[in-house]
Amino acid sequence: TEVELALRQEKVEEALALAEVALAKATAANNLFALGMTHRFWAMALAALEPPRWDEAEQHLALSLETLEEGHCVPEIARTHVTWGRLREKLNDPVGAREHFEKAIAGLEAASLSAEADRVRQRLAHLAVRT
């Protein structure tokens, strides 16, 4: 939560430091949910740096997915795909973005989060218009 809050306040360096601490705590507790979330927010912080550290961000997103999948955290798996899709958008990779958005929609629907899935569909439709 602290990492997310720091990101919302655009305190990127603080978010990175907090992510490192959060990862250690989540690892010690063997908390798959917290590990997956920490990796996702760490990725978001890396992507927000100037210049962004895209490769590292994608590594953390992959770790987020792996951990959340192990913990069967379907809604958060979907939300990590949304984050990754947005990153691929910023990298001008509409094919990669579409792939992640489609996976997010499927996961959100599976979790009965239709309104959230609709927002991702809108983003996907916007992506299609731009390409």
Side-chain angles (χ1 to χ4, degrees):
T1 304
E2 291 174 347
V3 179
E4 182 180 14
L5 182 60
L7 281 172
R8 289 180 187 266
Q9 295 173 346
E10 299 182 12
K11 297 177 181 177
V12 179
E13 295 294 336
E14 182 179 332
L16 287 170
L18 289 168
E20 199 167 336
V21 172
L23 189 67
K25 287 179 182 179
T27 300
N30 196 30
N31 184 329
L32 296 175
F33 176 81
L35 279 168
M37 297 297 291
T38 299
H39 280 295
R40 183 169 77 214
F41 288 119
W42 197 330
M44 293 166 68
L46 290 165
L49 286 170
E50 284 300 326
R53 292 171 21 199
W54 301 119
D55 290 343
E56 287 178 68
E58 288 194 290
Q59 289 171 2
H60 280 282
L61 288 170
L63 288 169
S64 176
L65 284 177
E66 179 182 313
T67 306
L68 293 168
E69 287 169 357
E70 186 178 340
H72 307 287
C73 305
V74 175
E76 297 308 328
I77 292 166
R79 291 177 181 128
T80 298
H81 278 296
V82 171
T83 300
W84 206 334
R86 288 178 176 170
L87 186 144
R88 295 311 314 167
E89 271 185 305
K90 289 180 183 176
L91 291 171
N92 295 315
D93 176 12
V95 173
R98 180 174 291 108
E99 177 183 324
H100 286 288
F101 289 150
E102 287 172 350
K103 288 178 182 179
I105 291 165
L108 292 166
E109 288 292 349
S112 299
L113 297 169
S114 298
E116 203 169 333
D118 287 343
R119 287 192 295 274
V120 180
R121 279 189 192 89
Q122 290 172 353
R123 190 161 194 111
L124 187 58
H126 179 71
L127 178 67
V129 169
R130 293 185 327 175
T131 58

